[in-house]
Amino acid sequence: MEKFDVIVVGAGLAGLAAAYTLAQAGVEVLVIEKGDYPGAKNVTGGRLYVNPVRELFPDLWKKAPLERFITREGASIMAGERSINVEYCGSELSQEPYQSYSILRAKFDRWFAKQAERKGAMLVSKSRVDDVIIENEQVVGVWAGGDELRADVIIACDGVLSLLAEKAGLRTLGNPKDYAVGFKEVIELDSTLIEERFGLEDNEGAARLFMGEVTRGKFGGGFLYTNKDSLSLGIVVGIKDLMEGSPTVQAPVLLDEFKQRPEIARLIKGGESVEYSAHVIPEGGLKAIGKLYGNGILLAGDAAGLAMNIGVTVRGMEYALASGYYAAQVVMEAKEKEDFTANSLSVYEKLLNDSFVIKDFIAFKEAPTVLDSPRFFKHYPELMGNIMKDVYEVPAGPKDRLYPTIKKYLTFKEMWSMAGDMRKVMKI
Amino acid sequence: MVYGRGYEKGDEDMSELSGLKAKLGLDVFKHDSEPHIRIKPGMEKDPRLKAAVLVCPAGLYTENANGEVELTIDGCLECGTCRIACGTEVLEWNYPTGGAGVQFRFG
């Protein structure tokens, strides 16, 4: 039996943020990772927004192996046969410090783990944590690959399913409506081709989100991020919608159809798929966040349910980094008091509540309910596509005036429903 | 069940599966001594399992002619979708043992 001050389960962003912060403060911390190396099991869309976490890890960003800083933000509304695209470019996006970067997690997490090790954290890879050890209602350690490992406190950063949180009795199996599944391909493409196709220079990058037909009207959307010399192209779709929503479709078919769309096909042309990955994403918002701590245990990152989709942005990694950081702060306070009971660790909730993490979740607490309407993912994309088609069409005969062209789609009934949806959207 | 559009069901089913196999072939997998996910014995016909056929991004669940759902564990991306969709009353679900299973190089 071995005893450590702190055991972190999972070398993802939350776990590594916790380990990095603790090690920096001289606390003895062991990180246990089931993958071959940190990042081996970790998946993102993905893009990392640095602003909210920049100051929590001031020394980290300069050399971090991030891909491209995002200077072009795109959104596409996709109907069956047509699409409407908006691209936003702003001078602030091209100025340092850059707001967000595309990221590949196997690369980033591996590097981040090295930084944590440099600060003094211990890392054991290829080891799966099988259970928590509970004595007198206090978590006192874990079983990992037949080894009994003890610690004053466990920080469970074992991802969205957090089997550890279930074993510690902090939560039960989640409800499909609170989760989405994301799946993506990494498509290698020459960096000069990427820059030409997306109108980028040097390390500039583009991010695009797609909604509508890409998910056949189900809750979710498509995404595309430019990496240094690859594209991350994928789909996120609500699990409940996928299970029972009509039409019935197998998840992988959505990505294949997406790739075949002419709008996408020309962007990935000549590229070579090098990896296919998938992961569940917590998307239940504030209501789905359960208990974040217990006697001798804290949850951080996806394990704590900290990811959020509000349509225009899909975020999770900043919350993971921040919650890992705050978990570390709580552990250090608890260490001072030599008290690792839930009562002592409850400061965690206060720290998260006072930070951007829970403030964001409160601000956007209506988003999951509001966005859970097929009108946004099916009806409006088709409607807008049809209006655009008629607006741009020049027929053989005389062209109708613009106002009646649009008006014929915007019936009283349609306007009434739109006003209703608008009232809902205003809650976001 | 619908498997995409513009094809006969059989054709699409086949092409879909072969396309997915190629995709999964891009990934690095390390062998595990035993399957980390199992359909619980006697649950093969449970309606809750049918969801897995739709939600699995790796297409590892299929329904056979007897209405039983079957799982091929090779190619599992460990995403967790089947656990959320079907629940643990029908699935015995764990991650592979340490160092086994999918190892993403990009993520």
Side-chain angles (χ1 to χ4, degrees):
Chain A
M1 181 194 87
E2 281 186 87
K3 166 83 179 20
F4 303 85
D5 285 353
V6 185
I7 291 176
V8 171
V9 180
L13 293 181
L16 293 170
Y20 179 90
T21 309
L22 287 166
Q24 185 161 252
V27 179
E28 183 191 55
V29 53
L30 171 72
V31 183
I32 308 176
E33 164 57 41
K34 64 185 179 312
D36 247 2
Y37 43 85
K41 305 278 183 181
N42 305 348
V43 183
T44 178
R47 171 231 297 253
L48 176 72
Y49 291 91
V50 183
N51 287 344
V53 290
R54 198 183 306 277
E55 299 308 320
L56 301 183
F57 314 93
D59 309 328
L60 201 65
W61 306 112
K62 215 169 172 184
K63 289 186 179 164
L66 297 163
E67 296 295 313
R68 290 172 179 268
F69 57 90
I70 305 300
T71 56
R72 288 178 174 258
E73 301 278 0
S76 293
I77 294 167
M78 284 189 154
E81 305 292 328
R82 44 193 63 87
S83 58
I84 300 165
N85 306 289
V86 178
E87 186 171 50
Y88 172 72
C89 308
S91 62
E92 79 286 354
L93 295 177
S94 309
Q95 281 159 18
E96 285 190 84
Y98 304 119
Q99 166 168 283
S100 71
Y101 293 82
S102 48
I103 178 173
L104 292 167
R105 292 288 301 281
K107 200 159 135 192
F108 182 85
D109 293 11
R110 211 167 184 173
W111 174 85
F112 193 11
K114 281 222 171 70
Q115 309 314 306
E117 280 185 287
R118 258 185 215 152
K119 300 269 180 198
M122 287 168 278
L123 171 76
V124 174
S125 294
K126 300 181 196 177
S127 179
R128 182 185 71 190
V129 170
D130 294 314
D131 209 349
V132 287
I133 303 168
I134 300 175
E135 284 173 3
N136 304 320
E137 295 180 5
Q138 174 91 12
V139 174
V140 294
V142 293
W143 284 101
D147 291 327
E148 182 182 349
L149 305 167
R150 292 191 170 230
D152 291 330
V153 60
I154 304 295
I155 308 180
C157 308
D158 54 334
V160 55
L161 299 182
S162 193
L163 305 189
L164 228 53
E166 283 184 22
K167 280 173 173 147
L170 290 180
R171 65 175 213 203
T172 52
L173 179 68
N175 186 323
K177 76 169 172 43
D178 294 328
Y179 298 87
V181 54
F183 37 103
K184 72 161 185 180
E185 285 180 42
V186 174
I187 302 169
E188 267 183 1
L189 192 63
D190 191 75
S191 60
T192 51
L193 270 180
I194 292 177
E195 284 146 26
E196 272 172 36
R197 282 181 195 178
F198 292 87
L200 308 168
E201 287 188 40
D202 301 326
N203 280 326
E204 291 180 347
R208 293 193 186 173
L209 297 178
F210 306 80
M211 66 179 288
E213 184 64 19
V214 282
T215 53
R216 296 220 198 154
K218 293 175 190 300
F219 179 85
F223 60 83
L224 187 154
Y225 297 100
T226 57
N227 303 313
K228 277 206 169 76
D229 41 23
S230 66
L231 305 174
S232 292
L233 181 78
I235 299 273
V236 172
V237 56
I239 294 180
K240 184 168 171 284
D241 268 20
L242 204 48
M243 286 166 69
E244 50 193 49
S246 146
T248 310
V249 60
Q250 282 186 297
V253 174
L254 293 175
L255 183 51
D256 287 335
E257 286 177 354
F258 187 37
K259 284 174 73 181
Q260 282 161 18
R261 290 277 306 210
E263 300 94 329
I264 300 301
R266 67 173 65 107
L267 295 173
I268 61 175
K269 194 176 165 192
E272 190 190 349
S273 282
V274 289
E275 188 168 86
Y276 180 51
S277 56
H279 219 285
V280 169
I281 308 165
E283 286 201 348
L286 187 66
K287 274 181 276 189
I289 297 178
K291 208 154 167 19
L292 300 175
Y293 59 91
N295 290 317
I297 185 167
L298 292 160
L299 309 182
D302 277 5
L306 299 175
M308 190 164 56
N309 179 352
I310 61 163
V312 284
T313 59
V314 187
R315 296 171 51 193
M317 293 186 283
E318 305 83 65
Y319 300 129
L321 286 163
S323 58
Y325 172 85
Y326 289 117
Q329 302 298 327
V330 173
V331 167
M332 289 188 270
E333 276 187 42
K335 221 167 127 45
E336 295 265 304
K337 295 182 280 183
E338 280 297 313
D339 180 359
F340 301 97
T341 60
N343 189 33
S344 166
L345 300 179
S346 68
V347 186
Y348 185 44
E349 198 160 284
K350 189 182 171 341
L351 284 181
L352 286 177
N353 285 347
D354 291 344
S355 75
F356 74 94
V357 178
I358 296 298
K359 283 183 180 160
D360 278 1
F361 276 80
I362 290 171
F364 297 107
K365 69 178 194 298
E366 300 295 339
T369 322
V370 171
L371 293 173
D372 186 18
S373 157
R375 286 182 61 85
F376 293 114
F377 299 95
K378 184 79 189 167
H379 177 71
Y380 288 124
E382 289 298 336
L383 178 73
M384 291 172 73
N386 288 335
I387 292 175
M388 289 311 222
K389 172 179 163 284
D390 287 357
V391 164
Y392 281 103
E393 187 171 47
V394 176
K399 183 170 166 66
D400 240 350
R401 286 175 51 225
L402 282 184
Y403 182 70
T405 301
I406 296 170
K407 186 76 181 99
K408 76 171 183 267
Y409 289 102
L410 304 179
T411 58
F412 179 76
K413 189 166 164 257
E414 181 60 53
M415 298 287 272
W416 183 256
S417 310
M418 273 186 180
D421 286 335
M422 198 58 213
R423 271 198 303 277
K424 284 190 238 159
V425 167
M426 281 161 64
K427 289 186 195 161
I428 300 183
Chain B
M1 202 157 289
V2 182
Y3 296 89
R5 295 165 294 184
Y7 295 91
E8 289 299 310
K9 187 193 156 193
D11 294 344
E12 176 66 9
D13 200 7
M14 286 293 287
S15 68
E16 201 46 56
L17 281 176
S18 61
L20 257 179
K21 269 215 171 102
K23 262 192 214 187
L24 294 169
L26 302 170
D27 295 345
V28 174
F29 292 96
K30 297 228 168 146
H31 180 72
D32 202 1
S33 48
E34 51 184 75
H36 61 279
I37 305 170
R38 281 199 185 97
I39 293 168
K40 288 193 175 169
M43 291 294 184
E44 296 82 358
K45 287 187 178 178
D46 193 287
R48 284 170 288 186
L49 270 177
K50 309 242 187 284
V53 181
L54 295 173
V55 301
C56 177
L60 301 180
Y61 291 86
T62 49
E63 191 176 341
N64 68 20
N66 300 327
E68 295 164 338
V69 173
E70 294 171 345
L71 163 65
T72 316
I73 200 69
D74 295 335
C76 178
L77 302 171
E78 301 163 36
C79 68
T81 313
C82 58
R83 189 175 194 265
I84 298 281
C86 308
T88 46
E89 280 169 32
V90 291
L91 291 178
E92 208 175 282
W93 206 104
N94 202 349
Y95 288 106
T97 48
V102 71
Q103 312 291 340
F104 294 120
R105 295 161 297 132
F106 298 91

